[in-house]
């Protein structure tokens, strides 16, 4: 995931992104993430603007049923590389890298974008039924006779009106 700014063609081009990144997504979260995608590259001589989306895939644990599954998510990436410019104008949320020549290693910047786009909770599927809070069985695979006691207190309050 390197971009050589010495040989990069003038104007617009495209850069393929593909490889493995190591991410720290917190306790019990994946370390190795595969990424693939393409970034639109705009070479403005001393500024190099990269923008696009990468698809990230990793093994993770479902937040409801705790099964391990392959999770994929999309991460927007926007990076500005500045050559011989100490300080650009405010770039907002764009990651800014400074390098005057040679190959720019984008792995850290892309790792940051991919980490930021990782959701707080991951589910193996939208309608995962999760584990029974009473007996602990996986309700996607078995059913049990436990009573559902998780009535939302806001609705319970409405019942009393
Ligand atoms: Zn699940
Ligand atoms: Zn149960």
């Amino acid at each position: 995931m390197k971009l050589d700014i010495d040989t990069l063609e003038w104007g617009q081009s495209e850069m393929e992104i593909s490889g493995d990144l190591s991410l720290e997504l917190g306790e019990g979260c994946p370390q190795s993430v595969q990424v693939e995608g393409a970034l639109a590259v705009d070479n403005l001589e001393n500024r190099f603007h990269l923008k696009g989306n990468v698809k990230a895939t990793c093994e993770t644990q479902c937040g409801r049923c705790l099964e391990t599954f392959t999770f994929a998510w999309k991460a927007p990436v926007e990076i500005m590389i500045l050559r011989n410019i100490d300080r650009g104008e405010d770039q907002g949320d764009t990651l800014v890298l400074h390098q005057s020549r040679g190959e720019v290693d984008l792995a850290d910047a892309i790792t940051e974008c991919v980490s930021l786009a990782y959701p707080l909770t991951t589910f193996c599927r939208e309608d995962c039924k999760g584990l029974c809070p009473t007996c602990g069985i996986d309700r996607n695979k078995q059913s049990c006779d436990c009573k559902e006691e998780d009535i939302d207190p806001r609705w319970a309050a409405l019942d009393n009106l």
Side-chain angles (χ1 to χ4, degrees):
M1 279 173 241
K2 289 180 174 147
L3 182 71
D4 190 334
I5 55 174
D6 292 341
T7 58
L8 183 65
E9 62 184 277
W10 175 257
Q12 291 175 340
S13 57
E14 196 176 72
M15 178 190 183
E16 295 285 332
I17 300 288
S18 169
D20 290 348
L21 295 174
S22 183
L23 263 68
E24 289 193 25
L25 298 170
E27 207 182 335
C29 287
Q31 299 297 305
S32 178
V33 176
Q34 293 83 53
V35 293
E36 58 175 282
L39 301 179
V41 181
D42 204 1
N43 177 358
L44 304 162
E45 195 174 5
N46 288 319
R47 289 165 211 267
F48 305 88
H49 185 239
L50 286 73
K51 190 173 182 178
N53 288 297
V54 296
K55 186 184 151 202
T57 321
C58 68
E59 291 290 307
T60 191
Q61 202 178 41
C62 174
R64 289 194 189 120
C65 70
L66 310 182
E67 282 284 314
T68 299
F69 70 106
T70 303
F71 180 69
W73 72 105
K74 197 173 84 168
V77 174
E78 191 166 4
I79 301 166
M80 179 76 94
I81 302 161
L82 299 178
R83 172 159 65 187
N84 303 327
I85 301 174
D86 286 343
R87 221 162 54 88
E89 58 266 39
D90 187 5
Q91 303 295 340
D93 291 335
T94 307
L95 285 168
V96 180
L97 305 176
H98 294 272
Q99 189 159 327
S100 56
R101 54 186 302 115
E103 285 188 326
V104 181
D105 190 347
L106 302 171
D108 286 350
I110 292 173
T111 299
E112 192 172 331
C113 296
V114 168
S115 303
L116 283 172
Y118 187 77
L120 288 174
T121 45
T122 50
F123 302 122
C124 61
R125 58 186 209 221
E126 276 299 317
D127 62 348
C128 172
K129 297 189 191 82
L131 303 178
C132 171
T134 309
C135 70
I137 65 149
D138 184 340
R139 292 191 290 198
N140 297 311
K141 295 174 185 161
Q142 301 172 63
S143 57
C144 59
D145 298 322
C146 301
K147 280 194 199 124
E148 285 286 344
E149 306 233 353
D150 55 348
I151 298 162
D152 191 314
R154 286 168 298 178
W155 295 115
L158 283 174
D159 284 344
N160 295 332
L161 290 174

